[in-house]
Amino acid sequence: MSEAAIEIRDLVKEYAGSGDEPPKMALKGVSFDVPEGSVFGLLGPNGAGKSTLINIMAGLVNKTGGQVKIWGHDIDSDHRNAKLNIGIVPQEIVFDPFFTPFEVLENQGGFYGISKALRRSEELLKAVRLEDKRNAYARTLSGGMKRRLLIAKAMVHSPPILVLDEPTAGVDVELRKQLWELVNELNAEGVTVVLTTHYLEEAEELCEQIAIINHGELIANKPTRELVGMMGEKIVAVTVDDDFTDLPADPRFRKCERAGERVIEITFDKSEMTAGQVLAKVQQQGFVIDDVSTREADLEDVFVQLTSQDDALA
């Protein structure tokens, strides 16, 4: 067994065009590894290629070129073992409305050829906190309960790798927190987790390493702390005593924008100036400061900068 739970090398996917439309390159030679035992984030804007990549791993989409290994098994030459070692939780919530959660898991176990004596349906319902809904029809479950049932369904065959595609899309804050706890529990038990999400604070909170895809290309793949540290930026929010039309200016300001009725937000590089120097510049230009707050750059700032740079080069 290699130290990488998933190995992706030069992965290419081209979709044929229809009519006069040219072919579309959804993935353009993407390569990265998902370390065994990690929580790994896969981020990118809509249409970046994330879902195509996940669907290739799931065996739902055929790749055009490159290689994918799941738990050491090539998805082409050893498809059966590759599929047995991964569980996919899709974005879409699809269940037969007349099956109960217990029946959903039992049927999934049957699809994987697991004998009744070896099925873990009761254990999995307890793990996702749905044991009290064991015999309820799936159609009566809340959206969050259905999300948790999808995770249990993906874990029926005890795969060492779990892929969660936008698991918290459309769920409230409390439910997101519960799902985060569940992901951490699974990871603590040794499951390698791959997470795609639009919530960047979610990725920053959960993921040890993050890969960012844009326009079908890998534009970053680093430990989360290192990725955030790449920015070296700080943001100062200054509340002034009166409304304003012009913004303070300095060539060292990375960004200066209105962030509220009397609030100016200034982004600067910590290697070029200090917060004190920023405030001095603001005051020199005639602004009277009422209040100040600062924050370090976070993953959202990194994501915006990397994808905007990539878009400018495209």
Side-chain angles (χ1 to χ4, degrees):
M1 175 59 215
S2 120
E3 290 183 3
I6 298 172
E7 299 171 63
I8 295 172
R9 294 288 177 274
D10 303 316
L11 187 60
V12 174
K13 176 58 185 177
E14 182 179 67
Y15 289 101
S18 58
D20 295 331
E21 292 180 5
K24 181 190 174 187
M25 293 291 288
L27 294 171
K28 306 170 184 176
V30 171
S31 298
F32 64 87
D33 289 344
V34 175
E36 181 184 340
S38 66
V39 180
F40 187 93
L42 183 61
L43 307 184
N46 284 334
K50 304 186 304 296
S51 292
T52 296
L53 196 153
I54 287 171
N55 287 333
I56 288 170
M57 290 194 290
L60 300 174
V61 169
N62 292 323
K63 60 185 174 59
T64 306
Q67 184 182 51
V68 178
K69 286 185 178 181
I70 294 169
W71 213 245
H73 304 284
D74 189 281
I75 63 169
D76 292 327
S77 61
D78 196 1
H79 174 74
R80 184 175 182 277
N81 281 316
K83 199 169 179 63
L84 283 172
N85 281 285
I86 195 167
I88 308 281
V89 181
Q91 288 185 42
E92 299 80 17
I93 296 176
V94 181
F95 294 115
D96 187 311
F98 298 103
F99 281 156
T100 67
F102 179 76
E103 289 168 339
V104 166
L105 300 186
E106 285 290 292
N107 288 341
Q108 188 74 358
F111 293 150
Y112 276 96
I114 303 167
S115 67
K116 286 204 171 197
L118 296 176
R119 290 178 198 167
R120 304 164 53 228
S121 302
E122 303 282 7
E123 178 191 334
L124 287 167
L125 286 174
K126 188 173 181 182
V128 298
R129 303 176 185 90
L130 287 177
E131 64 267 38
D132 60 331
K133 298 294 182 182
R134 179 190 191 279
N135 298 316
Y137 285 128
R139 70 175 185 273
T140 68
L141 301 181
S142 69
M145 290 175 182
K146 289 175 180 174
R147 291 271 178 203
R148 281 183 273 154
L149 183 54
L150 278 176
I151 293 174
K153 187 179 173 187
M155 294 300 294
V156 155
H157 56 298
S158 305
I161 303 167
L162 183 66
V163 178
L164 299 158
D165 193 6
E166 300 285 350
T168 56
V171 304
D172 61 36
V173 173
E174 184 57 35
L175 226 44
R176 281 171 63 194
K177 187 180 173 188
Q178 289 177 17
L179 287 168
W180 288 8
E181 288 172 359
L182 181 56
V183 167
N184 281 325
E185 286 168 15
L186 289 167
N187 182 243
E189 291 167 9
V191 177
T192 300
V193 179
V194 178
L195 173 73
T196 79
T197 178
H198 276 95
Y199 299 107
L200 296 179
E201 77 277 12
E202 188 166 84
E204 193 166 357
E205 176 80 20
L206 290 173
C207 302
E208 300 150 43
Q209 185 157 337
I210 290 172
I212 299 176
I213 292 179
N214 197 28
H215 299 303
E217 296 180 294
L218 188 75
I219 60 170
N221 178 23
K222 294 180 181 291
T224 307
R225 292 296 102 215
E226 189 179 324
L227 201 55
V228 173
M230 280 170 58
M231 292 294 286
E233 289 183 352
K234 197 162 190 167
I235 296 100
V236 173
V238 179
T239 304
V240 296
D241 73 335
D242 203 358
D243 200 7
F244 56 90
T245 51
D246 295 327
L247 291 166
D250 186 279
R252 293 171 295 175
F253 292 171
R254 291 290 178 87
K255 196 193 309 182
C256 183
E257 58 191 5
R258 180 187 288 268
E261 189 177 337
R262 291 186 295 113
V263 180
I264 303 165
E265 201 165 77
I266 299 165
T267 304
F268 63 97
D269 191 315
K270 291 183 289 185
S271 67
E272 294 179 351
M273 62 194 311
T274 65
Q277 289 172 319
V278 171
L279 297 178
K281 280 288 177 185
V282 172
Q283 289 173 317
Q284 285 169 18
Q285 294 177 42
F287 294 89
V288 177
I289 297 172
D290 274 353
D291 193 23
V292 174
S293 64
T294 64
R295 69 177 176 87
E296 300 292 328
D298 59 17
L299 185 58
E300 184 167 0
D301 300 303
V302 177
F303 182 84
V304 169
Q305 179 165 313
L306 286 172
T307 53
S308 60
Q309 282 177 351
D310 190 52
D311 289 343
L313 295 171

